[in-house]
Amino acid sequence: MKDKRNFFKRLYEFQNERFQAGVLIFTTSAVVLSSVAVSLPVGETISNFLPEILISIFTLLLFMFHIRVLDEHKDYDFDSKYHKDRPVQRGLITLKELLIVNIIGLLIIFSLNIFLPQRALLFLLIAFGYTLIAGKEFFIKNWIRKRFFLYNFLNLLQLLFLQFYLYSLVNPNFSFQNPILTIHFVFVLFNVGIIEFARKLKSKSEETDAKDTYSSRLGIKKSVLVYLLICFIVYALFFYMLLSLGFNLIIFAISLTFLNLVIFTSLIYISKNTKPSSLILQSFAALFYISMHLLLVFTKI
C-alpha cells in the first residue's frame, strides 16, 4: 500500500535507508580530492580547482543516486521476494517517483558539466552508458545473477569509470604513463572494494535465504580475511604513493592508526557476530576509506 505522506519526507526516508547521502558526501569528497591531488599539472595547487571540485562532488552524488535508482528497478522482483521491508517493497516510494527524481538529477549533472573540458564530458557519457547496460544486467540476467562475485564486480565498475572523468577535469591531457596515476586508479578500485565488501558483511541474525552477502557466501572468517586482504592492498598502495608524493611521519602514523582500527573492528565482528559489531566494522571501513584518500591530499597542502 502506497504511503500518503509528503513526497519529500518519503524521499528523505528512502535516501536515509538506501542511499545515505550523509555518509556519501564524505566518501565522495574524499575520492574527488585525492583524484585532484594526484592529477594536478605541474605548478598548480588544489585551491585553483575549487569550482571543478564542487561540481564533481555534486555530479558524483547525483550519479550514484542514478545507479541506486537503476538498482531499485532491476532488483525489484528479487527484493520483493527476499527483502519485503525495503522502501519500494513496503510502499514508501514508487519506482516511477524515483525515476522522475533521477531524470531531474541527470539533467542537473549534464547542465553542470556541459561547459567543462570535453574529455571529461566524454568520460561522463561513457560512464552513464555503462550504467544503462548494468541496469539491464548486461542483457544476460539469468546467467549473470547466478555468478554472485562476477555480478558484483561488474556493477562495481560503474563508479570506476568516473575516475577518468575526475582526472580529466583537472588535467584533460592526463596519461597512465604517469605511475602515480596508475597506482591511484588501482587504489581507488580496491578502496571501492572495501566499502562494497564491508556493507555485505552481516551478522547471522541478519542473513536471509537470498544469500546476497559475502558473509553468507564465504562464512564469517573467510569473508573477514578477504576484507582485510583488500584493506592491506589499499594500505600498501597508499604507502607507495606517500613515499612518491613526499613522506611525512605524522601522516604515516595517522594512516597506521586507521589500519589498526580496521583490524581491531574486524576481530570484534568475528568474536561477537552481532548487528552492532557488523555496523561498527562498516563504519570503520568508511573511515579507513576516507582517511586513505584525505591523507594523500595532505601531502599536497
Side-chain angles (χ1 to χ4, degrees), residues 217-265:
R217 294 274 178 163
L218 298 174
I220 300 298
K221 290 184 179 179
K222 285 184 179 179
S223 58
V224 168
L225 283 175
V226 175
Y227 164 68
L228 286 176
L229 176 61
I230 297 171
C231 290
F232 285 132
I233 291 172
V234 165
Y235 189 78
L237 294 169
F238 162 81
F239 188 69
Y240 175 87
M241 288 187 286
L242 180 62
L243 291 175
S244 300
L245 295 171
F247 182 80
N248 181 296
L249 186 58
I250 295 175
I251 291 177
F252 171 67
I254 294 172
S255 70
L256 206 55
T257 299
F258 278 104
L259 180 63
N260 286 325
L261 286 171
V262 162
I263 297 170
F264 180 65
T265 53

